[in-house]
Amino acid sequence: MKLYDGGRAPNPRRVRIFLAEKGISVPLVPVDIMKGEHKTPAFTSLNPMQRIPSLVLDDGTVISESIAICRYFEALQPEPALFGRGPAGCALVEMWQRRMELDLLLAVAAVFRHTHPSMVTLEAQQVAEWGEANRSRVASFLTFLDGHLEGREFVAGDEFSVADITGLVAVDFMRLPRIPVPEGLANVKRWHGALAARPSAKA
Amino acid sequence: MKLYDGGRAPNPRRVRIFLAEKGISVPLVPVDIMKGEHKTPAFTSLNPMQRIPSLVLDDGTVISESIAICRYFEALQPEPALFGRGPAGCALVEMWQRRMELDLLLAVAAVFRHTHPSMVTLEAQQVAEWGEANRSRVASFLTFLDGHLEGREFVAGDEFSVADITGLVAVDFMRLPRIPVPEGLANVKRWHGALAARPSAKA
């Protein structure tokens, strides 16, 4: 098994944190997207969508999409459970992981990819107005999240989960396009600080 | 248990098709988003993100996000398996369901929400340039999908799955913003035709 990894990019980091929380070690193959290594013929034959991370199993099966890779390892090694427990618990982790991804991580990524000069090479068509519009989506989602985190240690249920991982990575990613966490969101700051202090955050 | 449903909108339809494939019947509560019924205080107290579908369990737990709701029913009633079988099989369904959603359904939705006059009331800030940019994302993803579907009946593995449901709903949704399926994609047309002929497609 080999994990094609991408350094500082947010999606590869999600998988590395997930593996660190599980205590699973997988051989990593670095892919430098700023050098276009995800667009080489060799990598394209592995993953025609030219995205990292991508996991290659010993039988040659290629699994891409961070959350799909994480689910594969959850099935191989269920503990600690990072996708929830029981039908309702798992559904709530899925709900919050999706909110963290679709409403936060993707909004931060839209700001970065559509407004940052270095992203001209990665984004087929930068639409600056769309990038800027996402700044307010980030702020309003974090304000909603702050209310939800009142009296809660983790985003979904009583245990750390993949929803927290996506949230941590998304908030850290806000530094690149210089999106501030709005003033006064004490619960978001506490939650983020606690996640950033876990050993897995260094992965 | 009650499912807050939304008529012709694509996400509620995904859940209804999923339930039809499982043979599960759930009481539906219609929510008319064009009349703003998802923004009433009563509905907002159920789901502060003001989105449908939302499933309310008998103990008051609210599960929103279509795929989270589908996963809940998959856990309650595993057969027919619509999220795959085995660690690698489930991971590949997750991968394809995400591609169908993030690269196709969301791209179609971006065209519709950012270019259609009727969507001014739903989209906080319409960015027409972003909507138009997504037309080519839809076309290039469908071209990629056509190659993948060569010799395959379903998108992920040998069985019908939730990835097919998202794909069917996304392609049908293309009619509203008048996005054509590019000429010559015979595999996409065959696959879509077969899915559209299943009784569940009427749900």
Side-chain angles (χ1 to χ4, degrees):
Chain A
M1 195 188 295
K2 278 185 203 170
L3 180 62
Y4 287 80
D5 184 46
R8 292 169 61 217
N11 281 318
R13 186 173 176 229
R14 287 205 278 172
V15 174
R16 292 198 307 274
I17 294 175
F18 188 92
L19 291 171
E21 291 280 346
K22 288 274 188 189
I24 296 173
S25 175
V26 178
L28 299 182
V29 182
V31 178
D32 189 333
I33 56 174
M34 294 312 292
K35 288 185 182 163
E37 290 179 0
H38 60 306
K39 293 190 175 175
T40 62
F43 189 77
T44 303
S45 71
L46 276 182
N47 180 354
M49 296 204 73
Q50 303 178 321
R51 287 184 194 161
I52 48 163
S54 294
L55 180 71
V56 182
L57 306 187
D58 292 343
D59 70 359
T61 302
V62 181
I63 302 168
S64 77
E65 290 293 327
S66 304
I67 293 297
I69 294 170
C70 291
R71 278 196 188 278
Y72 177 72
F73 288 110
E74 180 91 347
L76 288 192
Q77 183 193 301
E79 294 293 333
L82 298 178
F83 279 94
R85 296 177 195 277
C90 290
L92 290 173
V93 168
E94 174 81 309
M95 175 180 86
W96 278 105
Q97 138 54 33
R98 288 175 57 89
R99 287 176 171 178
M100 290 301 199
E101 179 167 338
L102 300 174
D103 293 294
L104 185 59
L105 180 57
L106 286 190
V108 176
V111 178
F112 184 55
R113 294 180 70 112
H114 289 278
T115 66
H116 200 278
S118 73
M119 288 293 105
V120 171
T121 52
L122 285 185
E123 193 62 38
Q125 182 184 343
Q126 278 193 321
V127 181
E129 186 187 357
W130 172 242
E132 293 300 334
N134 275 276
R135 289 185 186 272
S136 62
R137 290 183 63 211
V138 171
S140 64
F141 181 79
L142 288 176
T143 303
F144 161 68
L145 181 62
D146 196 73
H148 172 72
L149 286 171
E150 176 71 32
R152 289 177 205 267
E153 187 175 356
F154 302 113
V155 163
D158 297 331
E159 290 182 88
F160 177 88
S161 77
V162 69
D164 296 298
I165 295 176
T166 299
L168 169 68
V169 168
V171 171
D172 286 347
F173 189 32
M174 288 166 60
R175 286 180 205 141
L176 267 102
R178 302 189 184 193
I179 308 172
V181 174
E183 292 291 319
L185 302 189
N187 295 314
V188 166
K189 284 186 180 166
R190 167 185 51 78
W191 162 81
H192 176 265
L195 297 180
R198 295 171 78 96
S200 64
K202 296 191 181 65
Chain B
M1 195 189 294
K2 279 185 202 170
L3 179 63
Y4 288 80
D5 183 47
R8 291 169 61 216
N11 280 318
R13 185 174 176 229
R14 287 205 277 172
V15 174
R16 291 197 308 274
I17 293 175
F18 187 93
L19 291 171
E21 290 281 345
K22 289 275 188 188
I24 296 173
S25 176
V26 177
L28 300 182
V29 182
V31 177
D32 189 334
I33 58 174
M34 294 312 292
K35 287 184 182 164
E37 290 180 358
H38 59 306
K39 293 190 174 176
T40 61
F43 189 76
T44 302
S45 72
L46 277 182
N47 181 355
M49 297 203 74
Q50 302 179 321
R51 288 184 193 159
I52 48 164
S54 294
L55 179 70
V56 182
L57 307 186
D58 292 343
D59 70 358
T61 301
V62 180
I63 302 170
S64 76
E65 291 292 327
S66 305
I67 293 297
I69 294 170
C70 291
R71 279 197 187 278
Y72 178 73
F73 287 110
E74 181 90 348
L76 288 192
Q77 184 193 300
E79 293 294 334
L82 298 178
F83 279 94
R85 297 178 195 275
C90 290
L92 290 173
V93 169
E94 173 80 310
M95 177 180 85
W96 278 105
Q97 138 55 34
R98 288 176 58 89
R99 287 176 170 177
M100 290 300 197
E101 179 168 340
L102 300 174
D103 293 293
L104 185 59
L105 180 56
L106 287 190
V108 177
V111 178
F112 183 55
R113 294 181 69 112
H114 288 278
T115 66
H116 200 278
S118 73
M119 287 293 106
V120 172
T121 52
L122 286 185
E123 194 60 40
Q125 180 183 344
Q126 278 192 324
V127 181
E129 187 186 356
W130 172 241
E132 292 301 335
N134 275 274
R135 288 184 187 273
S136 61
R137 292 182 61 210
V138 171
S140 63
F141 181 80
L142 287 175
T143 303
F144 161 69
L145 181 63
D146 196 73
H148 172 72
L149 286 171
E150 177 70 33
R152 290 177 204 267
E153 186 175 358
F154 302 113
V155 163
D158 297 330
E159 290 182 89
F160 178 87
S161 76
V162 69
D164 296 299
I165 295 176
T166 299
L168 169 67
V169 168
V171 171
D172 286 346
F173 189 32
M174 288 165 60
R175 286 181 205 140
L176 266 102
R178 301 186 185 195
I179 308 172
V181 174
E183 291 292 318
L185 301 190
N187 295 315
V188 166
K189 284 187 182 169
R190 167 186 49 80
W191 162 81
H192 176 265
L195 297 180
R198 295 170 78 95
S200 64
K202 296 190 180 66

